[in-house]
Amino acid sequence: EDQVTQSPEALRLQEGESSSLNCSYTVSGLRGLFWYRQDPGKGPEFLFTLYSAGEEKEKERLKATLTKKESFLHITAPKPEDSATYLCAVQATGTASKLTFGTGTRLQVTL
Amino acid sequence: DGGITQSPKYLFRKEGQNVTLSCEQNLNHDAMYWYRQDPGQGLRLIYYSQIVNDFQKGDIAEGYSVSREKKESFPLTVTSAQKNPTAFYLCASSIRGTSGGSADTQYFGPGTRLTVL
């Protein structure tokens, strides 16, 4: 059974204080790993797709990396507008594009 | 603007009522999905459809029904058989929905919050 575990559950940072969110996964065969951002009361917003170990992708203050067992979402010099819940999901081979989600990391960035 | 729309944003249901949540996409995607989100839990798949007039049960299909008569539309009915329907419901779509090939990214709508009175 595919599993995704995200840590920490919640993270509070001061503006400018860089940190990383972790997503550990077990999957029979990885087709892709996805990161989404979700604001309260809204649908998840797509951030990144990672396809294979060693891959990295960046967008503004966010950088996602992937190994064979986990993915990290690095946040460099965060701003209050980066406050959100960050969701990680995996898509396994042979699963008709189904996603298995973690429970998310709630990030709060304060001034 | 291309995207996914869900309506209504808020929905209230009395005990014993069936209610239908709307999901429409103009992205020309083949596949569509319904998820349920509860506090402290990951998104859970209710139903998905890879092509018009075909759909499959997800992990928590009991008490729900769907139809896919048009490529653009994938409505979800929450029936009275669903014992705990209060949740945030999310619709998503992806280009292919098939098992093969590279990863197939899902894009989400804004969600419908259903509350049972």
Side-chain angles (χ1 to χ4, degrees):
Chain A
E1 183 181 333
D2 303 331
Q3 286 192 325
V4 176
T5 303
Q6 291 187 246
S7 62
E9 283 188 21
L11 180 62
R12 185 178 174 127
L13 300 173
Q14 287 198 319
E15 184 175 14
E17 180 185 1
S18 301
S19 188
S20 296
L21 313 183
N22 178 263
C23 172
S24 297
Y25 66 92
T26 55
V27 65
S28 50
L30 183 67
R31 192 173 166 196
L33 184 141
F34 304 84
W35 282 99
Y36 292 88
R37 169 196 169 122
Q38 186 175 26
D39 293 304
K42 297 191 176 180
E45 174 190 347
F46 170 71
L47 293 173
F48 303 109
T49 304
L50 300 169
Y51 297 90
S52 59
E55 189 174 4
E56 298 182 352
K57 287 194 175 173
E58 288 188 65
K59 180 180 180 179
E60 296 180 357
R61 295 177 292 282
L62 300 177
K63 179 180 177 180
T65 62
L66 181 65
T67 73
K68 288 188 177 180
K69 292 184 179 180
E70 57 192 349
S71 176
F72 292 94
L73 185 65
H74 307 277
I75 303 177
T76 302
K79 298 182 178 182
E81 53 263 42
D82 294 322
S83 298
T85 296
Y86 291 86
L87 302 174
C88 173
V90 295
Q91 191 173 77
T93 54
T95 59
S97 296
K98 291 164 63 176
L99 294 179
T100 300
F101 279 87
T103 54
T105 293
R106 247 181 3 265
L107 173 66
Q108 183 180 13
V109 182
T110 59
L111 293 170
Chain B
D1 281 341
I4 302 171
T5 57
Q6 291 186 241
S7 62
K9 186 172 182 179
Y10 300 98
L11 186 58
F12 298 91
R13 191 192 96 168
K14 293 181 180 179
E15 295 275 356
Q17 272 187 337
N18 291 356
V19 291
T20 297
L21 284 60
S22 169
C23 177
E24 304 273 335
Q25 55 98 359
N26 61 3
L27 300 168
N28 199 32
H29 286 175
D30 283 337
M32 297 186 74
Y33 311 80
W34 274 105
Y35 291 88
R36 170 181 173 139
Q37 187 173 35
D38 296 282
Q41 298 194 42
L43 274 70
R44 293 181 290 167
L45 183 65
I46 304 172
Y47 268 98
Y48 64 100
S49 168
Q50 296 170 280
I51 197 169
V52 173
N53 291 323
D54 188 41
F55 48 83
Q56 286 79 39
K57 293 181 179 180
D59 301 319
I60 55 165
E62 185 175 350
Y64 301 97
S65 66
V66 294
S67 63
R68 186 90 186 274
E69 297 177 0
K70 298 187 299 181
K71 186 175 183 176
E72 304 79 20
S73 179
F74 191 40
L76 173 74
T77 297
V78 184
T79 75
S80 56
Q82 171 50 238
K83 297 306 178 189
N84 186 21
T86 294
F88 191 48
Y89 290 87
L90 290 159
C91 178
S93 70
S94 66
I95 291 176
R96 296 189 307 278
T98 54
S99 303
S102 61
D104 189 28
T105 301
Q106 293 185 19
Y107 298 89
F108 285 83
T112 292
R113 184 163 299 280
L114 173 63
T115 303
V116 173
L117 301 174

